[in-house]
Amino acid sequence: MPPFFRRLKLDYLVIAGISLIVYLPSLFYGFSQDDFIHLSAASASNFWQVLNFFNPTAHYPDIFFYRPLTTQFWFFINTHLFGLNPLPFHIEALIFQAVNACLFYLVVKKLWKSDKIALLSGLFYALSAAHFLSLYYISAFQEVGRIFFLLIAILTFLKYLDHKKPVFYAYSIISFILALLSKETSLILPLIMVPIYILYSRHQSIRVSLKGLLRPLAGFVAVAGLFITIRIIGFQSIFGAGDYHLTASVVEIFQNLKWYILWSFGLPEALSTYPSLKPDSLMAFSRDLPLGGVVLGLFGILGIMVIFLVIREIAKHKKINSKLIILNFSLFFIALLPVLFLSGHRYPQYLDLAFLGVLPPLAWLLTKTRLTGYLAIIIFVLLQLSSLELSRQSHWSTHRSQVADYYHQELNQLVGQTGANLVIFTGSRSELQQVSYALAGDYAIRVWFNCQIGKVLYLTPEQAIDTGRNVVILPVTKY
């Protein structure tokens, strides 16, 4: 085997291996919240019902989006093969994530034409704490599936530009369609292809690059237009439903952008729940959460190192490559467009594609000097690991899966003993609300007991409680 291919194989193994090891703890968490809604919607008894998952006019209770491939179909396949076992879901998500890290490495290698930058970027992507929700919360597999197909679409498109073979263009279009069936935010691909193509052919002028992009981009624009038309005709808009609300507030949009920038370097999602980044809020964060002070300290050190290296490069070369900076910021900004204008709905997992505009420049900067660069890489790794552990111990997704597992065990025993068809949870309003979130109202009980339970109620002590023979009354003790 030629040395190049041995090196490539080793790069894959290192990147995929790190991704698997870092997120291995995600395997030990069960279903929670929206998982139960999707498990309910994924039931089908024949081929036509499965096919109906992809029907844009079909409606499912409490589902406000059209993501059939990574939601109904994926949940159906897994429950059909493995039953109500969350482990295969997590294993598959973990494998896809490892493959995504390798695909990210290949895309960066194509764009930056540097083995070193590509490898370091792939490692950063594999380690990033921003993927926490995508791996620990089963329903967030939509994001993992989306980025898988988008990266394949980008790679095959770049191969088409290299070889001009229609088969690569066809693969890219098909991957784009599959990405759209995974999550509608994939619509951004035709727009993000612009900075990607200019970055790929940056030896040319921007005018020449854009002129060469017009024809190959037409197919993606056509697919996007058809998808939008079908959605408008056949399916309700997600905006105004659930917690998806658009905002025109410039302040809120810049707040979203600020958090996505901070999260891209490894800060955990939990910090955004604090009122501000002022000293009192940072002190509260350090005090309230495990490893909070460690995370902030590592982030501060990394920030100082990055600023030092930027100043050093400017002083050394006396100029800045403004074209490269603009292209990478454009990549970052455009990739986030589908979520930047959402009010009160921001999560680090949406950075997956935007990382193309952050991680390669960071990798390039850290490879410019040995000692400081190596130290910064070590700090970056420690920051990701600390943020992941902080999130694992304090994030709502892990907590709610533990709550759901607890009540599953309790109810299995109680319902089995009584043959009840009514379940009543009792406790304070705040306690009941948390349990209701974890169990998605009555969806978890319906899924666990195959609709044997006719009704689920959440009642405070002052409300009347039915104490009939076929009733299970469960005081809330874990929430």
Side-chain angles (χ1 to χ4, degrees):
M1 184 183 290
F4 170 76
F5 290 105
R6 286 203 299 270
R7 166 67 187 275
L8 199 63
K9 189 175 181 180
L10 180 61
D11 289 352
Y12 287 150
L13 288 174
V14 171
I15 292 169
I18 285 177
S19 181
L20 293 172
I21 291 168
V22 166
Y23 279 98
L24 196 63
S26 66
L27 299 181
F28 305 105
Y29 291 87
F31 297 116
S32 70
Q33 202 163 305
D34 289 0
D35 298 341
F36 298 114
I37 298 174
H38 298 149
L39 286 166
S40 177
S43 59
S45 57
N46 57 58
F47 171 77
W48 299 110
Q49 288 180 351
V50 173
L51 199 62
N52 196 52
F53 292 155
F54 298 87
N55 177 5
T57 64
H59 292 258
Y60 297 90
D62 296 316
I63 293 181
F64 309 110
F65 44 72
Y66 178 67
R67 303 166 189 170
L69 187 58
T70 51
T71 304
Q72 290 100 315
F73 185 72
W74 184 60
F75 273 86
F76 167 78
I77 290 293
N78 277 296
T79 52
H80 188 72
L81 294 175
F82 309 111
L84 292 176
N85 182 358
L87 183 59
F89 288 84
H90 280 303
I91 290 174
E92 291 163 23
L94 198 56
I95 291 170
F96 268 89
Q97 178 65 17
V99 173
N100 286 348
C102 294
L103 291 172
F104 187 88
Y105 157 78
L106 286 174
V107 171
V108 174
K109 190 178 175 70
K110 279 278 189 183
L111 294 178
W112 285 77
K113 301 171 179 62
S114 166
D115 292 340
K116 191 183 292 186
I117 292 173
L119 178 59
L120 196 53
S121 297
L123 293 173
F124 285 169
Y125 184 92
L127 280 163
S128 176
H131 305 303
F132 178 86
L133 190 62
S134 297
L135 277 300
Y136 278 81
Y137 184 36
I138 290 173
S139 287
F141 178 74
Q142 300 159 353
E143 200 68 27
V144 179
R146 164 188 178 260
I147 193 63
F148 172 74
F149 291 117
L150 285 179
L151 289 174
I152 290 177
I154 292 168
L155 266 177
T156 49
F157 181 72
L158 295 176
K159 277 186 171 290
Y160 166 73
L161 295 177
D162 281 340
H163 305 289
K164 302 301 180 186
K165 290 184 178 179
V167 65
F168 290 124
Y169 190 77
Y171 288 154
S172 189
I173 291 291
I174 292 168
S175 298
F176 180 38
I177 293 170
L178 293 173
L180 288 170
L181 293 175
S182 299
K183 197 168 184 181
E184 65 283 341
T185 50
S186 302
L187 275 168
I188 204 66
L189 183 64
L191 194 55
I192 206 171
M193 283 293 198
V194 176
I196 284 176
Y197 182 74
I198 296 172
L199 190 61
Y200 179 69
S201 57
R202 58 182 175 272
H203 60 281
Q204 299 175 345
S205 69
I206 292 179
R207 183 177 178 183
V208 172
S209 296
L210 290 175
K211 189 175 180 182
L213 183 62
L214 287 176
R215 287 185 66 183
L217 202 59
F220 295 94
V221 174
V223 169
L226 180 62
F227 180 82
I228 292 170
T229 302
I230 291 172
R231 283 293 307 273
I232 291 172
I233 294 173
F235 202 85
Q236 76 270 33
S237 169
I238 64 170
F239 298 117
D243 59 348
Y244 297 94
H245 301 278
L246 289 173
T247 180
S249 167
V250 175
V251 173
E252 190 165 4
I253 293 165
F254 271 95
Q255 279 289 321
N256 288 344
L257 184 60
K258 176 194 74 177
W259 281 111
Y260 285 118
I261 291 171
L262 293 174
W263 286 334
S264 66
F265 288 94
L267 282 178
E269 178 190 335
L271 185 57
S272 66
T273 63
Y274 284 74
S276 70
L277 292 177
K278 294 178 180 179
D280 54 342
S281 289
L282 296 179
M283 288 295 292
F285 174 80
S286 301
R287 196 171 51 247
D288 296 345
L289 297 177
L291 297 173
V294 173
V295 166
L296 291 178
L298 290 170
F299 179 79
I301 295 169
L302 179 64
I304 291 169
M305 285 183 160
V306 169
I307 292 168
F308 168 76
L309 289 174
V310 169
I311 294 172
R312 181 180 177 276
E313 279 302 302
I314 294 172
K316 185 178 177 181
H317 298 287
K318 307 299 181 184
K319 62 178 181 179
I320 303 175
N321 190 333
S322 56
K323 180 179 179 181
L324 205 57
I325 292 172
I326 292 168
L327 283 174
N328 281 283
F329 181 77
S330 298
L331 246 175
F332 180 80
F333 183 79
I334 293 170
L336 289 173
L337 276 179
V339 294
L340 272 183
F341 295 89
L342 291 177
S343 177
H345 184 92
R346 51 178 180 242
Y347 297 101
Q349 63 166 343
Y350 297 145
L351 281 162
D352 48 15
L353 194 59
F355 272 141
L356 283 172
V358 176
L359 297 185
L362 179 62
W364 171 84
L365 184 65
L366 299 188
T367 56
K368 301 303 287 183
T369 179
R370 286 192 176 184
L371 181 58
T372 309
Y374 289 157
L375 286 174
I377 290 169
I378 292 170
I379 296 299
F380 182 91
V381 171
L382 292 174
L383 175 57
Q384 307 312 308
L385 297 177
S386 300
S387 285
L388 281 171
E389 182 58 22
L390 182 151
S391 295
R392 191 186 69 79
Q393 293 188 39
S394 61
H395 199 270
W396 58 263
S397 61
T398 52
H399 175 70
R400 287 175 186 172
S401 73
Q402 291 170 335
V403 170
D405 286 344
Y406 173 81
Y407 287 110
H408 188 195
Q409 294 174 17
E410 290 287 305
L411 285 167
N412 262 338
Q413 184 176 358
L414 292 172
V415 172
Q417 290 173 351
T418 63
N421 57 19
L422 171 62
V423 171
I424 299 175
F425 290 93
T426 64
S428 68
R429 289 190 186 278
S430 60
E431 292 169 347
L432 292 173
Q433 185 182 51
Q434 292 305 315
V435 175
S436 178
Y437 283 151
L439 304 183
D442 63 349
Y443 277 101
I445 286 90
R446 282 162 48 187
V447 167
W448 289 333
F449 299 101
N450 198 24
C451 298
Q452 171 191 334
I453 306 297
K455 200 170 184 181
V456 179
L457 299 175
Y458 295 85
L459 301 177
T460 56
E462 63 269 17
Q463 293 175 295
I465 296 177
D466 186 342
T467 56
R469 190 176 58 183
N470 292 328
V471 178
V472 167
I473 300 176
L474 202 59
V476 170
T477 56
K478 189 176 180 68
Y479 55 91

